[in-house]
Amino acid sequence: MQTVSRRSFLALAGTSVLASSALAGCSNETNQPQGDIDEEEKAAPSVEIIENGFSAPYMGFSTAWAVARNASDVYAIEMPQVEMTAFDENDAVIGSDTQPLTLHTNLTAVPGQTFALAFLFDVGDGSIARVEARAIEPDDGEYFEWDGDVPTFDVTNTSEKNDDILGASASGMVANGFPDTADVQVVAILRDSNGNGVDAAFGWSDGVEAGGTGSFEIIFTQNANFVSADYYALAEYQI
């Protein structure tokens, strides 16, 4: 399967997101409590998978997503990567992908930060029956001890809508908590009345000033049967 760039993802999402009559997603939560930080954990920060899910197919594509957390209270992790594998009803692998893309080497999860990643799979005439999300442990040099207050990346002023022609979309403002100008990625997960994820996609707010906010828009393009949305931000940190 070919890797999809952040810009081409949004273009491809026009063919991948579900029509409201066909949208029926699936998500799993795998909450894992964190124990006290000890010296071994300080030496090897890790990423926890909190939730994963996928959408039903539309026009040969399905989306998948993972919500994850930097489990360290001490270290920031550069490129907190997650490998997502999709399986069909016969448990054959449809495809596998890793996000974030290596193009964005400065995307950084600060200590304790929860974030999300979105994936796009070409399923052809089939569909996804289940997914597995695996956090890739950071190597030496891919994490560093965070000094000072831990920044936040609040997503505010959000709105979601459906359009008969343009489909679902989401927009809002995102804060850059880093001390330098940064591009900020925002993932939106649409949820049904039971809180289950039904679709996901991401957008960017480019060049957000330190301590400032920037606008973003996420395009789903097809109508979606959702009642709420959760937003997760991840920014590029300049060391």
Side-chain angles (χ1 to χ4, degrees), residues 2-123:
Q2 294 183 344
T3 300
V4 181
S5 71
R6 74 176 188 183
R7 301 305 186 191
S8 61
F9 182 94
L10 292 178
L12 284 173
T15 60
S16 67
V17 186
L18 311 177
S20 58
S21 61
L23 185 57
C26 177
S27 61
N28 299 309
E29 293 189 3
T30 55
N31 291 309
Q32 301 175 10
Q34 180 189 9
D36 295 334
I37 294 290
D38 56 24
E39 290 303 316
E40 181 178 357
E41 184 175 0
K42 285 182 62 176
S46 62
V47 172
E48 296 176 339
I49 303 298
I50 299 173
E51 174 191 348
N52 61 70
F54 59 92
S55 71
Y58 181 73
M59 295 182 67
F61 289 89
S62 286
T63 55
W65 57 88
V67 179
R69 177 179 178 271
N70 176 0
S72 175
D73 288 338
V74 177
Y75 290 105
I77 302 175
E78 294 183 276
M79 289 294 290
Q81 291 190 316
V82 173
E83 179 188 73
M84 181 71 74
T85 304
F87 300 83
D88 66 15
E89 61 182 2
N90 296 315
D91 221 30
V93 173
I94 294 174
S96 183
D97 191 18
T98 299
Q99 294 283 353
L101 302 176
T102 55
L103 173 65
H104 304 293
T105 55
N106 292 323
L107 280 173
T108 301
V110 297
Q113 183 178 3
T114 298
F115 59 95
L117 300 167
F119 306 79
L120 183 66
F121 289 102
D122 182 348
V123 299

